[in-house]
Structures are given as structure tokens and as C-alpha cells.
Amino acid sequence: MNVGVAHSEVNPNTRVMNSRGMWLTYALGVGMLHIVLLSIPFFSVPVAWTLTNVIHNLGMYVFLHAVKGTPFETPDQGKARLLTHWEQLDYGVQFTSSRKFFTISPIILYFLASFYTKYDPTHFILNTTSLLTVLIPKLPQLHGVRLFGINKY
């Protein structure tokens, strides 16, 4: 028994994306980011969509694929210390509803950004590169893989 621990999960990072209202909060946050970018006077609509996509994907890459460990004290003897949040999500089980949601949401944002930028080559390259940087680490084949030793420890 853990004294002073308010949760019953061994690692709360595994279930946080399934908590009530998390997906709605995520979608509202992306929407608010886009509204803030649209309200900046010298940004055109295509620039605002591309910035929304790139900022979203950069944030998701950092929070899901770059940062390792947990902000909680866990009794798992340091097993979560070497895993990213994406690898901890749903105890590492692939193709759960939360993993599907966080895989599909950047794709939908990419389609929206591509449509509103009218497939301009510069915006298209930026949006595609940004999308690939968040989709490739989500592949099941890359679970626990550290390319070139980056983020190994």
C-alpha cells in the first residue's frame, strides 16, 4: 500500500488519455490555438493553418515521443523511467481507442491545413514533414526503438 498516493493506478500515465473529457479538452485546445493564430493580424488563413498544424505536431512530438518517465512517484521500480508517454499509454497495448484517436487527430489536422492552404507547395512540404515526424514514432514497429541512440537514457 502506498501512503499518500491519491491514485490507484501503478502508473497514471497509462490511463490519463482515457480519462473523462480528455479528448474534448484536446480538441478544444487545438481549436483555441487556431483561433489565437487567426486573430494575429498579419497571418493569412493559410499561414495560420500551417502554424496550427506545425505547433500542434511539435507539441505532440515533445509530449508523447521525446519526454520520458512520469511526473508521479510510481511503485514500478523504474520501469516507466525509460519509456516515453506514447510507450506507456494503455500499458503499451497497440491499437486502443486512445492510440487511434491520437494517431488520427494529426492526420485530420493535416488534411484541414492542406485544404485551406490550397495545396501550396511550400505549405504542403511543411505540413507533410510535420505530419511524418509525429506519425512515424507511433508505428508499432518502433515501440521502444531509439534511432541512432537518441533519447536512449
Side-chain angles (χ1 to χ4, degrees), residues 2 15 17 26 29 34 51 71 77 88 113 131 136 144 146 150:
N2 295 327
R15 307 294 286 168
M17 296 301 184
Y26 171 81
H34 183 66
L51 282 175
Q77 298 181 358
Q88 296 174 40
L131 176 69
I136 291 174
R146 304 291 181 257
I150 298 171

Side-chain angles (χ1 to χ4, degrees), residues 10-82:
V10 172
N11 181 359
N13 268 1
T14 59
R15 307 294 286 168
V16 70
M17 296 301 184
N18 288 328
S19 61
R20 186 175 184 174
M22 182 62 189
W23 294 1
L24 178 63
T25 304
Y26 171 81
L28 289 175
V30 173
M32 287 300 297
L33 170 65
H34 183 66
I35 289 171
V36 167
L37 290 173
L38 277 176
S39 68
I40 298 175
F42 53 88
F43 284 167
S44 65
V45 172
V47 170
W49 274 106
T50 298
L51 282 175
T52 301
N53 187 33
V54 170
I55 291 170
H56 166 267
N57 290 342
L58 179 67
M60 293 309 287
Y61 178 80
V62 169
F63 290 123
L64 287 181
H65 303 294
V67 176
K68 294 181 1 181
T70 67
F72 313 102
E73 182 180 346
T74 59
D76 65 357
Q77 298 181 358
K79 291 178 187 173
R81 179 177 61 85
L82 299 174

Side-chain angles (χ1 to χ4, degrees), residues 88-101:
Q88 296 174 40
L89 190 63
D90 295 330
Y91 301 103
V93 176
Q94 301 294 322
F95 306 114
T96 60
S97 58
S98 59
R99 283 181 181 254
K100 288 176 186 177
F101 175 78

Side-chain angles (χ1 to χ4, degrees), residues 61 68 145-153:
Y61 178 80
K68 294 181 1 181
V145 175
R146 304 291 181 257
L147 297 177
F148 310 115
I150 298 171
N151 206 11
K152 186 176 179 180
Y153 298 106

